[in-house]
Amino acid sequence: MAEGQHTIEPGDMVNKDSMTSTRTTPIAFHIMAKPTGSACNLRCEYCFFQKKEKLYPKSNFRMSEDVHEAYIKQLFDAHQVPQVTVAWQGGEPTLMGLDFFRHSVQLQKKYAKPGTLVENTFQTNGILLDDEWCRFFHENNFLVGLSLDGPKELHDTYRKDKGGRGTFDRVMRAAQQLRNHKVEFNILCAVNRKNADYPLEVYRFFRDELGVKYIQFIPVVERDNESGFQEGSTVTDRSVQPDQWGDFLIRIFDDWIRKDVGQMFVLNFDGALAGWLGRAGTVCIFGPTCGMGMALEHNGDLYSCDHFVEPNYSLGNILKTPMIELVASGKQRKFGQDKRDALPQYCLNCEFIHICNGECPKNRFVETPYGEQGLNYLCEGYKAFFGHADRPMKIMAGLLQRGRLAEEVMTLMKTKERGGKNVSAKPGRNEPCFCGSGLKFKKCHGKYE
């Protein structure tokens, strides 16, 4: 299973920063349910979750009926908003079998409040998908996330089955079946030490060969320890290096900003752009605080976050304590506030603090240049990317704030290029703007020069 981030919609919280609200019970939150726990039919070498099986040494790693029903009922009871997301992940959730999810849809119909819009999301490696699975996804409007790390030679480097064989061909077959049944799906790509050196090959493979429109890139940051918990300050040789991560984002961003804005949706770029719009936190890792995205294990144990399924971050069990009480507990509020409160001064002085807010706490394990603890391992890469993207991000933010389309940035970027056959001359300040708005250039795109 690859790592993931959840998105937060503006209405999901009591206010812009729900953890500092006077109201301690959130009106909405996100639970990543793991019905098979850490059980998986693959052995991806960088998977951080397989080691979590040590938490449940005698378990069969299957969600029981009482936990399943309690999860659905309590999730709908707790939400005070018109849309509820039921998120399935693993391990590998298809190991539960299709009947489990058929029953889940029935439970959702039973417990959803009148008028509630229900969304099911489903992260999978795709190995077990067939026509029956895909018909079910289509008929019940599941949004499927498919884990794929790029072209065959890159994907098969680390994503192998239990026999050590690559899985690319089987994942591509799953993608075709999803398309055949008109299932909405996106790609989750884990960026590791190998594929990070081939950013354009990875991006263009997804865009041109696979034909997907939605991509999320997740950096593999794997601590070099045997416990499976957040320990140590060194990483494995499978982990992406900070400068690699920055270069990976930059090279894809340059391709995207010239050709694909409005056509290809890269969660990393959308989440960063929100910061330039003053709305950092639409993706959880960039929020000033966290704590609204928890993980539910197969036995009903609720943890502070998918990346902190560890004894110290256990909130309790939903069969013993109602979910909403665990979500609103002082322990979970402190977990969320610590993201902001534990930032080193080096981060607080950074010009891009409003964009990343220190990124995910799981990656904050190195020292700043001044010896402070708590710097993000990927800081160097993020700063390089944010600095490189600053001007076009500001242009897009300005366009959106004026009610315009972000993709207009592509035309403006072309006027700044020189030496290519597709380059157009920049209009004079008092000439009509190239975008066709009818305004003078100085009153339109020229404002961003």
Side-chain angles (χ1 to χ4, degrees), residues 24 103 105 117 120 129 143 166 229 231 264 320 323 344 429:
T24 58
H103 181 53
V105 169
L117 178 63
N120 280 269
L129 296 189
L143 172 62
F229 302 141
E231 299 175 354
M264 291 287 293
K320 298 178 180 178
M323 179 188 296
R429 283 176 50 78

Side-chain angles (χ1 to χ4, degrees), residues 32 41 88 157 276 278 302 334-335 435 443:
M32 190 175 289
N41 50 351
W88 302 105
T157 300
W276 271 275
L302 191 67
K334 183 179 185 302
F335 173 84
C435 72
K443 295 290 188 179

Side-chain angles (χ1 to χ4, degrees), residues 258-326:
R258 286 169 172 80
K259 305 174 184 176
D260 298 328
V261 181
Q263 299 297 317
M264 291 287 293
F265 299 89
V266 181
L267 185 63
N268 310 72
F269 302 156
D270 289 349
L273 177 59
W276 271 275
L277 285 164
R279 295 177 52 206
T282 57
V283 176
C284 67
I285 60 168
F286 290 148
T289 61
C290 58
M292 289 295 101
M294 288 137 284
L296 181 71
E297 264 290 349
H298 62 292
N299 70 335
D301 288 346
L302 191 67
Y303 291 86
S304 291
C305 173
D306 181 43
H307 295 295
F308 290 86
V309 177
E310 305 173 11
N312 290 341
Y313 297 94
S314 174
L315 300 173
N317 190 288
I318 64 170
L319 294 181
K320 298 178 180 178
T321 306
M323 179 188 296
I324 190 60
E325 292 184 20
L326 301 177

Side-chain angles (χ1 to χ4, degrees), residues 45 54-55 110 160 238 361 373 395 411 413 439 447:
E45 294 182 31
K54 296 177 182 179
L55 290 170
K110 177 180 178 180
K160 302 179 186 297
R238 295 180 288 267
Q373 296 294 326
I395 293 172
T411 306
M413 295 303 292
L439 298 174
K447 292 178 64 174

Side-chain angles (χ1 to χ4, degrees), residues 82-148:
Q83 178 171 328
V84 177
T85 297
V86 183
W88 302 105
Q89 200 173 40
E92 175 49 45
T94 56
L95 293 177
M96 286 300 298
L98 187 49
D99 285 344
F100 176 89
F101 297 99
R102 288 192 177 110
H103 181 53
S104 188
V105 169
Q106 294 304 312
L107 289 174
Q108 293 165 30
K109 292 176 180 177
K110 177 180 178 180
Y111 290 113
K113 299 168 187 173
T116 299
L117 178 63
V118 181
E119 177 188 51
N120 280 269
T121 64
F122 195 98
Q123 186 65 40
T124 178
N125 58 41
I127 301 301
L128 296 180
L129 296 189
D130 57 18
D131 288 334
E132 190 176 14
W133 272 102
C134 293
R135 278 195 298 270
F136 169 80
F137 288 149
H138 175 75
E139 292 168 358
N140 294 282
N141 298 312
F142 273 55
L143 172 62
V144 175
L146 189 63
S147 297
L148 185 60

Side-chain angles (χ1 to χ4, degrees), residues 9 64 105 107 146 158-159 168 172 187 213 244 266 288 315 349 398 441:
E9 296 300 323
S64 66
V105 169
L107 289 174
L146 189 63
Y158 297 124
R159 295 193 66 82
F168 177 83
M172 290 297 289
I187 293 296
K213 299 296 184 183
Q244 270 188 311
V266 181
L315 300 173
N349 293 340
F441 180 67

Side-chain angles (χ1 to χ4, degrees), residues 340-406:
R340 176 194 60 211
D341 297 343
L343 278 171
Q345 192 63 40
Y346 180 80
C347 292
L348 297 175
N349 293 340
C350 178
E351 63 178 312
F352 299 119
I353 182 61
H354 65 294
I355 308 299
C356 83
N357 289 291
E359 207 243 10
C360 185
K362 80 177 184 68
N363 293 330
R364 296 184 189 174
F365 55 84
V366 297
E367 291 185 350
T368 73
Y370 307 107
E372 298 173 277
Q373 296 294 326
L375 181 65
N376 196 297
Y377 165 79
L378 296 169
C379 176
E380 176 188 344
Y382 273 119
K383 287 182 75 172
F385 168 61
F386 294 147
H388 182 84
D390 185 54
R391 180 177 175 274
M393 286 291 195
K394 286 178 177 175
I395 293 172
M396 286 190 290
L399 288 166
L400 292 169
Q401 288 165 343
R402 294 173 59 210
R404 305 285 286 272
L405 299 175

